[in-house]
PDB file of all heavy atoms in Angstrom:
ATOM      1  N   ALA A  40      48.115  11.555  26.408  1.00 32.00           N
ATOM      2  CA  ALA A  40      49.362  11.296  25.698  1.00 32.00           C
ATOM      3  C   ALA A  40      49.210  10.211  24.643  1.00 32.00           C
ATOM      4  O   ALA A  40      50.065  10.038  23.783  1.00 32.00           O
ATOM      5  CB  ALA A  40      50.454  10.890  26.686  1.00 32.00           C
ATOM      6  N   LEU A  74      27.864   9.908  19.401  1.00 97.00           N
ATOM      7  CA  LEU A  74      26.551  10.522  19.562  1.00 97.00           C
ATOM      8  C   LEU A  74      26.228  10.539  21.046  1.00 97.00           C
ATOM      9  O   LEU A  74      26.046   9.492  21.674  1.00 97.00           O
ATOM     10  CB  LEU A  74      25.497   9.738  18.785  1.00 97.00           C
ATOM     11  CG  LEU A  74      25.759   9.607  17.281  1.00 97.00           C
ATOM     12  CD1 LEU A  74      24.677   8.750  16.627  1.00 97.00           C
ATOM     13  CD2 LEU A  74      25.843  10.969  16.616  1.00 97.00           C
ATOM     14  N   SER A  80      19.497  17.386  29.159  1.00 93.00           N
ATOM     15  CA  SER A  80      18.314  16.533  29.240  1.00 93.00           C
ATOM     16  C   SER A  80      18.192  15.890  30.620  1.00 93.00           C
ATOM     17  O   SER A  80      19.153  15.301  31.118  1.00 93.00           O
ATOM     18  CB  SER A  80      18.382  15.433  28.180  1.00 93.00           C
ATOM     19  OG  SER A  80      17.283  14.545  28.337  1.00 93.00           O
ATOM     20  N   ALA A 105      46.834  20.052   6.913  1.00 97.00           N
ATOM     21  CA  ALA A 105      46.401  21.440   7.062  1.00 97.00           C
ATOM     22  C   ALA A 105      45.443  21.778   5.923  1.00 97.00           C
ATOM     23  O   ALA A 105      45.677  21.384   4.772  1.00 97.00           O
ATOM     24  CB  ALA A 105      47.598  22.376   7.043  1.00 97.00           C
ATOM     25  N   TRP A 118      29.201  19.048   9.091  1.00 97.00           N
ATOM     26  CA  TRP A 118      27.832  19.297   8.632  1.00 97.00           C
ATOM     27  C   TRP A 118      26.985  18.056   8.887  1.00 97.00           C
ATOM     28  O   TRP A 118      27.493  16.939   8.953  1.00 97.00           O
ATOM     29  CB  TRP A 118      27.792  19.583   7.128  1.00 97.00           C
ATOM     30  CG  TRP A 118      28.755  20.602   6.633  1.00 97.00           C
ATOM     31  CD1 TRP A 118      30.092  20.439   6.361  1.00 97.00           C
ATOM     32  CD2 TRP A 118      28.456  21.967   6.319  1.00 97.00           C
ATOM     33  NE1 TRP A 118      30.646  21.604   5.912  1.00 97.00           N
ATOM     34  CE2 TRP A 118      29.666  22.576   5.862  1.00 97.00           C
ATOM     35  CE3 TRP A 118      27.300  22.749   6.360  1.00 97.00           C
ATOM     36  CZ2 TRP A 118      29.741  23.898   5.465  1.00 97.00           C
ATOM     37  CZ3 TRP A 118      27.366  24.073   5.959  1.00 97.00           C
ATOM     38  CH2 TRP A 118      28.566  24.641   5.529  1.00 97.00           C
ATOM     39  N   PRO A 122      19.940  12.044   3.762  1.00 93.00           N
ATOM     40  CA  PRO A 122      20.458  11.129   2.744  1.00 93.00           C
ATOM     41  C   PRO A 122      20.162  11.557   1.310  1.00 93.00           C
ATOM     42  O   PRO A 122      20.889  11.176   0.397  1.00 93.00           O
ATOM     43  CB  PRO A 122      19.764   9.802   3.080  1.00 93.00           C
ATOM     44  CG  PRO A 122      19.486   9.890   4.543  1.00 93.00           C
ATOM     45  CD  PRO A 122      19.145  11.332   4.791  1.00 93.00           C
ATOM     46  N   PHE A 189       4.053 -18.564   1.017  1.00 55.00           N
ATOM     47  CA  PHE A 189       3.337 -19.839   1.029  1.00 55.00           C
ATOM     48  C   PHE A 189       3.798 -20.724   2.184  1.00 55.00           C
ATOM     49  O   PHE A 189       3.862 -21.949   2.066  1.00 55.00           O
ATOM     50  CB  PHE A 189       3.549 -20.558  -0.308  1.00 55.00           C
ATOM     51  CG  PHE A 189       3.150 -19.724  -1.485  1.00 55.00           C
ATOM     52  CD1 PHE A 189       4.103 -19.050  -2.226  1.00 55.00           C
ATOM     53  CD2 PHE A 189       1.817 -19.579  -1.815  1.00 55.00           C
ATOM     54  CE1 PHE A 189       3.738 -18.264  -3.303  1.00 55.00           C
ATOM     55  CE2 PHE A 189       1.441 -18.793  -2.887  1.00 55.00           C
ATOM     56  CZ  PHE A 189       2.394 -18.129  -3.642  1.00 55.00           C
ATOM     57  N   PRO A 264     -15.170  -4.512  29.165  1.00 97.00           N
ATOM     58  CA  PRO A 264     -14.981  -4.915  30.561  1.00 97.00           C
ATOM     59  C   PRO A 264     -13.743  -4.277  31.167  1.00 97.00           C
ATOM     60  O   PRO A 264     -12.751  -4.012  30.489  1.00 97.00           O
ATOM     61  CB  PRO A 264     -14.835  -6.437  30.479  1.00 97.00           C
ATOM     62  CG  PRO A 264     -14.340  -6.687  29.093  1.00 97.00           C
ATOM     63  CD  PRO A 264     -14.952  -5.631  28.231  1.00 97.00           C
ATOM     64  N   GLN A 351      -3.535  -4.785  35.448  1.00 98.00           N
ATOM     65  CA  GLN A 351      -3.214  -3.358  35.371  1.00 98.00           C
ATOM     66  C   GLN A 351      -3.804  -2.764  34.097  1.00 98.00           C
ATOM     67  O   GLN A 351      -4.368  -1.663  34.108  1.00 98.00           O
ATOM     68  CB  GLN A 351      -1.701  -3.175  35.395  1.00 98.00           C
ATOM     69  CG  GLN A 351      -1.231  -1.727  35.304  1.00 98.00           C
ATOM     70  CD  GLN A 351       0.287  -1.655  35.300  1.00 98.00           C
ATOM     71  OE1 GLN A 351       0.936  -2.129  36.224  1.00 98.00           O
ATOM     72  NE2 GLN A 351       0.845  -1.080  34.261  1.00 98.00           N
ATOM     73  N   LEU A 381      -5.704  -1.615  23.912  1.00 97.00           N
ATOM     74  CA  LEU A 381      -5.662  -2.271  22.608  1.00 97.00           C
ATOM     75  C   LEU A 381      -7.058  -2.769  22.249  1.00 97.00           C
ATOM     76  O   LEU A 381      -7.581  -3.701  22.865  1.00 97.00           O
ATOM     77  CB  LEU A 381      -4.662  -3.433  22.632  1.00 97.00           C
ATOM     78  CG  LEU A 381      -4.502  -4.198  21.318  1.00 97.00           C
ATOM     79  CD1 LEU A 381      -4.131  -3.275  20.166  1.00 97.00           C
ATOM     80  CD2 LEU A 381      -3.455  -5.305  21.472  1.00 97.00           C
ATOM     81  N   GLY A 423      -0.216  33.884  32.634  1.00 92.00           N
ATOM     82  CA  GLY A 423       0.545  34.432  33.744  1.00 92.00           C
ATOM     83  C   GLY A 423       0.564  33.571  34.986  1.00 92.00           C
ATOM     84  O   GLY A 423       1.164  33.947  35.991  1.00 92.00           O
ATOM     85  N   PHE A 429       1.155  16.508  37.427  1.00 98.00           N
ATOM     86  CA  PHE A 429       1.754  15.301  37.993  1.00 98.00           C
ATOM     87  C   PHE A 429       1.508  14.162  37.004  1.00 98.00           C
ATOM     88  O   PHE A 429       0.378  13.703  36.846  1.00 98.00           O
ATOM     89  CB  PHE A 429       1.134  14.992  39.354  1.00 98.00           C
ATOM     90  CG  PHE A 429       1.423  16.034  40.403  1.00 98.00           C
ATOM     91  CD1 PHE A 429       0.674  17.201  40.485  1.00 98.00           C
ATOM     92  CD2 PHE A 429       2.457  15.847  41.310  1.00 98.00           C
ATOM     93  CE1 PHE A 429       0.944  18.162  41.450  1.00 98.00           C
ATOM     94  CE2 PHE A 429       2.734  16.800  42.285  1.00 98.00           C
ATOM     95  CZ  PHE A 429       1.983  17.957  42.350  1.00 98.00           C
ATOM     96  N   LEU A 430       2.571  13.720  36.325  1.00 98.00           N
ATOM     97  CA  LEU A 430       2.463  12.739  35.253  1.00 98.00           C
ATOM     98  C   LEU A 430       2.916  11.363  35.739  1.00 98.00           C
ATOM     99  O   LEU A 430       3.985  11.229  36.339  1.00 98.00           O
ATOM    100  CB  LEU A 430       3.331  13.143  34.060  1.00 98.00           C
ATOM    101  CG  LEU A 430       3.180  14.557  33.505  1.00 98.00           C
ATOM    102  CD1 LEU A 430       4.159  14.770  32.348  1.00 98.00           C
ATOM    103  CD2 LEU A 430       1.756  14.825  33.059  1.00 98.00           C
ATOM    104  N   ARG A 500       9.580  -1.356   5.301  1.00 89.00           N
ATOM    105  CA  ARG A 500      10.085  -0.399   4.322  1.00 89.00           C
ATOM    106  C   ARG A 500      11.331   0.331   4.819  1.00 89.00           C
ATOM    107  O   ARG A 500      11.918   1.124   4.085  1.00 89.00           O
ATOM    108  CB  ARG A 500       9.003   0.618   3.975  1.00 89.00           C
ATOM    109  CG  ARG A 500       7.830   0.042   3.178  1.00 89.00           C
ATOM    110  CD  ARG A 500       6.881   1.146   2.723  1.00 89.00           C
ATOM    111  NE  ARG A 500       5.864   0.657   1.813  1.00 89.00           N
ATOM    112  CZ  ARG A 500       4.630   0.320   2.160  1.00 89.00           C
ATOM    113  NH1 ARG A 500       4.273   0.385   3.438  1.00 89.00           N
ATOM    114  NH2 ARG A 500       3.758  -0.092   1.264  1.00 89.00           N
ATOM    115  N   GLU A 595       7.712 -18.836  24.385  1.00 97.00           N
ATOM    116  CA  GLU A 595       8.752 -18.779  23.359  1.00 97.00           C
ATOM    117  C   GLU A 595       9.793 -17.696  23.614  1.00 97.00           C
ATOM    118  O   GLU A 595      10.850 -17.693  22.984  1.00 97.00           O
ATOM    119  CB  GLU A 595       8.140 -18.516  21.980  1.00 97.00           C
ATOM    120  CG  GLU A 595       7.154 -19.547  21.507  1.00 97.00           C
ATOM    121  CD  GLU A 595       5.731 -19.289  21.994  1.00 97.00           C
ATOM    122  OE1 GLU A 595       5.342 -18.108  22.100  1.00 97.00           O
ATOM    123  OE2 GLU A 595       5.011 -20.258  22.299  1.00 97.00           O
ATOM    124  N   LEU A 621      26.092   1.500  49.743  1.00 94.00           N
ATOM    125  CA  LEU A 621      25.942   2.190  48.465  1.00 94.00           C
ATOM    126  C   LEU A 621      26.700   1.371  47.430  1.00 94.00           C
ATOM    127  O   LEU A 621      27.813   0.899  47.695  1.00 94.00           O
ATOM    128  CB  LEU A 621      26.522   3.603  48.509  1.00 94.00           C
ATOM    129  CG  LEU A 621      25.792   4.653  49.340  1.00 94.00           C
ATOM    130  CD1 LEU A 621      26.630   5.931  49.417  1.00 94.00           C
ATOM    131  CD2 LEU A 621      24.424   4.962  48.748  1.00 94.00           C
ATOM    132  N   HIS A 634      15.736  -9.162  19.188  1.00 91.00           N
ATOM    133  CA  HIS A 634      14.935  -7.953  19.008  1.00 91.00           C
ATOM    134  C   HIS A 634      15.161  -7.073  20.234  1.00 91.00           C
ATOM    135  O   HIS A 634      14.403  -7.118  21.203  1.00 91.00           O
ATOM    136  CB  HIS A 634      13.445  -8.252  18.840  1.00 91.00           C
ATOM    137  CG  HIS A 634      12.655  -7.024  18.490  1.00 91.00           C
ATOM    138  ND1 HIS A 634      12.362  -6.682  17.190  1.00 91.00           N
ATOM    139  CD2 HIS A 634      12.156  -6.025  19.246  1.00 91.00           C
ATOM    140  CE1 HIS A 634      11.692  -5.537  17.168  1.00 91.00           C
ATOM    141  NE2 HIS A 634      11.552  -5.129  18.416  1.00 91.00           N
TER     142      HIS A 634
END
Side-chain angles (χ1 to χ4, degrees):
L74 302 177
S80 175
W118 310 80
F189 304 100
Q351 179 181 302
L381 181 55
F429 295 82
L430 309 178
R500 291 187 172 98
E595 300 86 35
L621 290 172
H634 187 94

